[in-house]
Amino acid sequence: MAKQIKVIKCPQCGNTKPLSTGNDHYRCDKCGTEFFLDNDDVNINVNHNYDSGNNGRSGKSALFIIFFVIFVLILLTVKVCVDQVNRINRNVTTYTATERPAIQYDKYVFSMLLPVNGQGIAFYLTNKNKNTYASFENVVTGKPVKEQQLPVKITDSQHISHRWFLSDSTHYVIINENLIYKIDPDNYTFTDITTDICARKPALNAGLMSISFIKEGQGEGFLIHTNLGKDLYYFLASDMLYTEKAFKYVANDFSNPLLPNAKNEKYYLFLNKESAHSSNVAQLYEIIYKFNNGGPENKMLKLSEQGMKNISQHRIVSCKPITDERVYFSPEILYYDPQNILIAYQPSLAKDAGINVQLLDASGNIIWTKPFNNNGIKNTCTVRTNQGFMLQLGESEFCEISVDGQRIQTYKKN
């Protein structure tokens, strides 16, 4: 068959200038494809060779194109998603890093339970929005009753001390060691009385350097360090101011006359019976003593067999046991009134023993005992309510036990 004149092209890329390698064999200098001519039917036979050279460069080019297409598709997808989010949030206010408002969380620095008209009222001192607030809240309903911003900032609970005075049935709080506040739960107020106290006594006009409560058992008053370096003892109920020497003389010499309105008061203490075999047997005692109406005194706070031999120096009128010896670990008095005595104790030393709350009558008879899984009870103040007894379990957790001990309701502030 006669040969026809045709333009030889690379069958792969169409290059018209392939390189001859002899015997009608050619190699494309563009893509590296090798082929040869069949003289009988002028067919072009292709032989792909994927070794080095231009063919390697072609493979890399193909991979680059594939990755580039994928990258473009990803960018388009992200742009569509961002546009959709912007359409949804077009009404949302945005802030720069310096403009974004900081979230302010409430921080409790003090809390306690108060009885008001037969209901449990929680009193809080709280830091929020860079200010300190005093607030009253109904424990059962969780509804706030009243809140007031204080002119002073409290950084933490270490700068707060609290005491309840029997002489005027009032709770007092010392803040930052230089301010005295009074809680009035009936009117839901928290009032600074520091200036009023200083105005009563010329010796305090120089100013107060620090204030603390007089040690419990030594009277209901304040130890005041003045700016002139004087230590003075002030008793609010009697409005009496003593030097340290005069205070110790009046408090510790039981032969000194009491205030005109001194009266008999009842309270309770546990006497621990220690032996070679046990140190957990306790007995509850009823004590009646001459209360000096908030003035200087030397009240017995811990009962021991040795101390009972010298009860006259504590102005004790009578001291008698009202229970048998019972197994109580770390017992404490939570609340008492003329008819009821509420106590708490550990039933054993086991880690999971929890706490038992027990109600006794005035004669020491057990009315009921209720176990709690809590590791302790924050006995800032246990109060009597219309329903029973309300206890403070923690900073913002309370529980109410019915009078018959059958119902226990727990309340926790969110």
Side-chain angles (χ1 to χ4, degrees), residues 318-370:
S318 68
C319 180
K320 64 178 183 180
I322 62 171
T323 69
D324 299 327
E325 295 180 358
R326 296 170 180 167
V327 177
Y328 290 138
F329 288 91
S330 304
E332 62 174 321
I333 309 295
L334 298 180
Y335 169 87
Y336 62 88
D337 59 33
Q339 293 80 37
N340 305 285
I341 308 168
L342 196 68
I343 68 172
Y345 64 93
Q346 292 177 248
S348 73
L349 293 179
K351 292 183 179 180
D352 57 350
I355 298 292
N356 277 1
V357 174
Q358 189 174 87
L359 180 65
L360 311 175
D361 63 19
S363 299
N365 300 310
I366 298 175
I367 300 175
W368 49 255
T369 303
K370 287 296 175 183

Side-chain angles (χ1 to χ4, degrees), residues 78-99:
V78 170
K79 184 177 185 304
V80 171
C81 293
V82 170
D83 291 342
Q84 180 67 17
V85 171
N86 288 336
R87 282 194 297 271
I88 295 174
N89 298 326
R90 62 168 54 94
N91 294 325
V92 176
T93 304
T94 58
Y95 302 90
T96 64
T98 57
E99 293 173 340

Side-chain angles (χ1 to χ4, degrees), residues 193-202 204-205:
I193 61 172
T194 315
T195 303
D196 179 58
I197 290 176
C198 292
R200 299 180 187 181
K201 302 297 178 182
L204 303 179
N205 290 340

Side-chain angles (χ1 to χ4, degrees), residues 61-190:
S61 299
L63 288 175
F64 174 79
I65 293 173
I66 292 172
F67 283 120
F68 178 79
V69 172
I70 294 174
F71 178 74
V72 171
L73 290 175
I74 292 174
L75 287 180
L76 292 175
T77 302
V78 170
K79 184 177 185 304
V80 171
C81 293
V82 170
D83 291 342
Q84 180 67 17
V85 171
N86 288 336
R87 282 194 297 271
I88 295 174
N89 298 326
R90 62 168 54 94
N91 294 325
V92 176
T93 304
T94 58
Y95 302 90
T96 64
T98 57
E99 293 173 340
R100 187 180 302 277
I103 299 176
Q104 299 292 332
Y105 297 100
D106 292 357
K107 178 185 178 183
Y108 300 111
V109 290
F110 179 77
S111 64
M112 66 174 298
L113 189 59
L114 300 169
V116 182
N117 298 324
Q119 300 296 319
I121 299 295
F123 172 77
Y124 297 104
L125 291 176
T126 311
N127 283 337
K128 57 182 179 180
N129 298 323
K130 300 182 179 180
N131 294 300
T132 300
Y133 292 82
S135 60
F136 298 85
E137 181 178 294
N138 188 296
V139 173
V140 175
T141 64
K143 294 181 179 179
V145 180
K146 187 177 180 181
E147 182 180 78
Q148 67 183 84
Q149 182 179 337
L150 302 184
V152 61
K153 177 66 180 294
I154 307 172
T155 55
D156 57 55
S157 59
Q158 294 182 351
H159 297 156
I160 298 176
S161 54
H162 159 262
R163 185 78 61 79
W164 181 74
F165 287 178
L166 174 62
S167 53
D168 59 1
S169 299
T170 302
H171 292 274
Y172 292 94
V173 176
I174 296 177
I175 296 177
N176 296 336
E177 297 185 337
N178 58 12
L179 295 172
I180 302 174
Y181 274 76
K182 179 176 71 173
I183 302 175
D184 183 358
D186 294 328
N187 296 305
Y188 304 109
T189 58
F190 188 59

Side-chain angles (χ1 to χ4, degrees), residues 298-309:
N298 185 21
K299 181 180 178 181
M300 179 183 285
L301 298 179
K302 185 176 181 180
L303 193 59
S304 66
E305 292 182 326
Q306 179 63 32
M308 292 175 64
K309 299 177 182 178

